[in-house]
Amino acid sequence: MSEVILRPIGKFDIPVEAEVISPDVFAGKNIDEIKNLTVLQGPWEHKLSEFFEVSGEAGESPEETTIVIEGDVDRVKLIGYRMSNGKIVIN
């Protein structure tokens, strides 16, 4: 199983809507594509990499993809939204 590691950069003052943090979305993408996925903070669009350090490698399918989040994401909404398979671990 392939693993993508996300580490929050600082604290989030305004909640972040990040439904893209899902094995279904990450599967089949390289790290640069994952970093460039769009999240929302308030009405503004941002790249995922503006809020998270992104490393590792996604699997070819959701079943082969694990996302590990290292840090506090209590202000991040919609993690795993409509996730069909794979795994998300929050440490």
Side-chain angles (χ1 to χ4, degrees), residues 4-75:
V4 176
I5 300 167
L6 303 178
R7 289 183 180 89
I9 299 170
K11 292 271 186 188
F12 306 118
D13 294 334
I14 300 170
V16 175
E17 294 181 15
E19 66 268 12
V20 298
I21 300 177
S22 169
D24 295 88
V25 177
F26 284 15
K29 291 181 174 57
N30 65 41
I31 288 299
D32 288 332
E33 291 171 318
I34 294 170
K35 287 178 179 181
N36 288 314
L37 290 170
T38 302
V39 298
L40 295 175
Q41 187 177 47
W44 302 282
E45 291 186 353
H46 298 273
K47 293 179 181 178
L48 184 65
S49 63
E50 292 179 46
F51 297 102
F52 293 92
E53 292 177 17
V54 183
S55 61
E57 181 178 330
E60 288 300 313
S61 68
E63 297 85 9
E64 300 170 333
T65 303
T66 296
I67 299 170
V68 178
I69 301 173
E70 298 285 346
D72 184 4
V73 288
D74 68 332
R75 307 271 310 190

